[in-house]
Amino acid sequence: MAAMEAEAALMTLESLPTDPLLLILSFLDYRDLINCCYVSRRLSQLSSHDPLWRRHCKKYWLISEEEKTRKNQCWKSLFIDTYSDVGRYIDHYAAIKKAWDDLKKYLEPRCPRMVLSLKEGAREEDLDAVEAQIGCKLPNDYRCSYRIHNGQKLVVPGLLGSMALSNHYRSEDLLDVDTAAGGFQQRQGLKYCLPLTFCIHTGLSQYIAVEAAEGRNKNEVFYQCPDQMARNPAAIDMFIIGATFTDWFTSYVNNVVSGGFPIIRDQIFRYIHDPECVATTGDITVSVSTSFLPELSSVHPPHYFFTYRIRIEMSKDALPEKACQLDSRYWRITNAKGDVEEVQGPGVVGEFPIISPGRVYEYTSCTTFSTTSGYMEGYYTFHFLYFKDKIFNVAIPRFHMACPTFRVSIARLFW
């Protein structure tokens, strides 16, 4: 027993078997792995074991086996080279890079022009120059994204989505950093705000607050909303759409690549569809998606503008004699106060569509509320083409609309 205790006491790090040590090192983060290099010669050798760096390359830089083969470098070398380039963004890079990769992969076969409009990544010195120009530090996740792609060319359609009504069209481009810097705001109401997007048709932008000011939190992303009832032009309310750039960008990408935002004529339309918002009557299914339009809304006075897109589809298995034509619509519209308005009229958007087996009819319309939310429901009345005296109703599912969280202008609060 005494001999065993003496032997254990003489055991050092240098005498421990290699495999258990490598196993322990495999659980360490890259910072600790680097620190091991300064503990002893043996740990320095073991911490350079190339397979240990494979996990970190994949976790932080999303480097694939194919990329490693193409670059003909070991994992540790790849990690160090990438860190020397974008190491300051290590807490953001994987999430932002994945979002960009997912978005481009999804859009390439569907919206190739949009992908071609993307610019190459900005250089570190370009971003430093913009910070010097505006006198503020850019959020690190914003910088990280612009190292990957420096926005897009000012073209239509815009990467950040479109919206079209009969007399209104919006398509938002993702601004490159130099154009964004040119729109940096130092005036009251939008102080220290940098535009992220721009629509050449409406002049609409989404902004990020690069500093906390005028009631805004640092890094918040929002649509500006002028207070139309205030005499002070600095009274600007906000529809908040992201707590950080990462939150804003990744949530948008997730909506696109999940099919939540439909692709229509090579454009991303920012309608949100609730999978439960579907009603089937016989062979006809009606589904609804909705969108809030900040550029046509205001907090003061309370006027919240929504558009909805309705899809009416007859099952392909329906009998030919089930073909029918829409005659009229009935709506029951309820706001957040419980006030009800009923609307009835011929056709939809001036049309009387014919629905037959396998055919789909879609249209868009709009409504406004004086409350921040509300819902609609109703039915369509159809007649059969082969039995014109026989009419029937098709249910429209109840669909809810709610504006984003908003914050009123600090100028109004201190009137």
Side-chain angles (χ1 to χ4, degrees):
M1 176 66 78
M4 291 178 61
E5 290 176 353
E7 184 179 346
L10 291 173
M11 186 175 289
T12 65
L13 188 63
E14 301 298 326
S15 61
L16 286 174
T18 296
D19 288 347
L21 278 174
L22 286 175
L23 179 60
I24 293 170
L25 292 175
S26 71
F27 291 101
L28 299 184
D29 196 9
Y30 75 95
R31 298 175 182 88
D32 298 319
L33 205 54
I34 290 172
N35 288 335
C36 285
C37 295
Y38 303 101
V39 174
S40 72
R41 179 178 298 177
R42 184 155 189 247
L43 273 186
S44 178
Q45 292 173 339
L46 290 175
S47 63
S48 296
H49 186 59
D50 203 48
L52 293 174
W53 293 92
R54 178 178 180 273
R55 178 171 66 91
H56 301 301
C57 283
K58 290 179 175 291
K59 175 182 177 181
Y60 291 107
W61 312 130
L62 305 186
I63 297 175
S64 65
E65 301 282 351
E66 293 76 11
E67 185 176 354
K68 176 184 180 295
T69 301
R70 187 172 64 253
K71 291 187 174 182
N72 194 28
Q73 289 180 267
C74 66
W75 288 112
K76 184 178 181 181
S77 175
L78 279 171
F79 185 92
I80 292 172
D81 285 354
T82 310
Y83 189 91
S84 66
D85 182 32
V86 290
R88 67 178 290 177
Y89 311 120
I90 195 163
D91 293 332
H92 308 288
Y93 189 87
I96 297 291
K97 181 70 162 57
K98 183 179 185 304
W100 272 116
D101 289 348
D102 290 348
L103 184 61
K104 288 188 292 184
K105 181 179 179 181
Y106 185 82
L107 293 180
E108 276 170 353
R110 298 171 174 87
C111 307
R113 288 185 303 152
M114 201 178 291
V115 176
L116 289 173
S117 75
L118 295 176
K119 295 186 175 184
E120 294 294 325
R123 299 174 304 169
E124 203 69 17
E125 50 265 38
D126 297 330
L127 297 168
D128 291 341
V130 165
E131 289 186 340
Q133 176 184 339
I134 67 177
C136 294
K137 292 291 185 183
L138 297 170
N140 242 13
D141 52 353
Y142 174 95
R143 287 183 62 122
C144 178
S145 181
Y146 277 70
R147 286 299 313 275
I148 299 169
H149 281 294
N150 186 13
Q152 67 174 138
K153 303 167 188 174
L154 286 178
V155 296
V156 175
L159 184 72
L160 268 296
S162 302
M163 187 55 61
L165 296 173
S166 57
N167 58 352
H168 180 80
Y169 179 74
R170 181 227 310 166
S171 187
E172 292 182 68
D173 290 297
L174 179 65
L175 293 176
D176 65 67
V177 70
D178 289 324
T179 305
F184 180 69
Q185 299 293 315
Q186 301 198 47
R187 65 185 175 92
Q188 294 296 316
L190 284 174
K191 198 169 182 65
Y192 305 131
C193 292
L194 187 77
L196 293 174
T197 70
F198 181 70
C199 170
I200 60 176
H201 299 88
T202 64
L204 181 74
S205 285
Q206 298 179 60
Y207 285 90
I208 185 168
V210 297
E211 295 287 351
E214 301 176 327
R216 284 180 292 275
N217 297 322
K218 187 175 181 179
N219 298 338
E220 260 179 343
V221 181
F222 64 95
Y223 281 106
Q224 62 160 319
C225 179
D227 186 334
Q228 300 174 23
M229 298 176 69
R231 295 187 183 92
N232 186 350
I236 295 177
D237 302 323
M238 302 163 46
F239 290 114
I240 302 167
I241 47 180
T244 63
F245 179 90
T246 300
D247 173 47
W248 171 76
F249 184 63
T250 57
S251 62
Y252 175 74
V253 171
N254 287 338
N255 271 317
V256 174
V257 302
S258 67
F261 289 161
I263 304 292
I264 305 169
R265 296 184 299 277
D266 298 332
Q267 299 184 66
I268 303 167
F269 276 80
R270 291 170 62 175
Y271 286 102
I272 297 174
H273 175 64
D274 180 353
E276 296 184 359
C277 191
V278 177
T280 299
T281 304
D283 296 302
I284 298 177
T285 297
V286 178
S287 59
V288 187
S289 53
T290 64
S291 184
F292 173 71
L293 271 62
E295 68 270 31
L296 299 179
S297 301
S298 67
V299 177
H300 300 103
H303 178 83
Y304 305 99
F305 193 104
F306 299 89
T307 178
Y308 52 89
R309 183 175 182 85
I310 294 190
R311 176 185 175 94
I312 306 172
E313 180 177 10
M314 179 174 283
S315 169
K316 64 180 180 181
D317 298 325
L319 297 174
E321 55 265 31
K322 292 296 183 73
C324 54
Q325 184 170 23
L326 191 152
D327 293 324
S328 63
R329 69 193 185 281
Y330 166 79
W331 288 112
R332 182 179 173 87
I333 307 168
T334 307
N335 69 16
K337 295 179 180 178
D339 301 327
V340 176
E341 178 186 5
E342 295 182 281
V343 177
Q344 194 161 11
V348 289
V349 293
E351 297 182 353
F352 300 86
I354 292 175
I355 306 295
S356 56
R359 297 295 299 273
V360 174
Y361 176 79
E362 294 181 289
Y363 74 95
T364 60
S365 191
C366 56
T367 191
T368 60
F369 290 101
S370 59
T371 56
T372 57
S373 63
Y375 63 87
M376 295 174 62
E377 57 194 328
Y379 59 81
Y380 299 117
T381 299
F382 283 83
H383 71 265
F384 288 110
L385 295 183
Y386 295 97
F387 312 98
K388 294 189 177 181
D389 58 340
K390 188 173 182 180
I391 63 172
F392 62 99
N393 293 333
V394 171
I396 306 170
R398 177 180 293 188
F399 56 97
H400 293 262
M401 292 158 281
C403 79
T405 300
F406 64 80
R407 189 176 303 129
V408 300
S409 167
I410 195 169
R412 167 174 283 271
L413 296 177
F414 294 98
W415 254 6

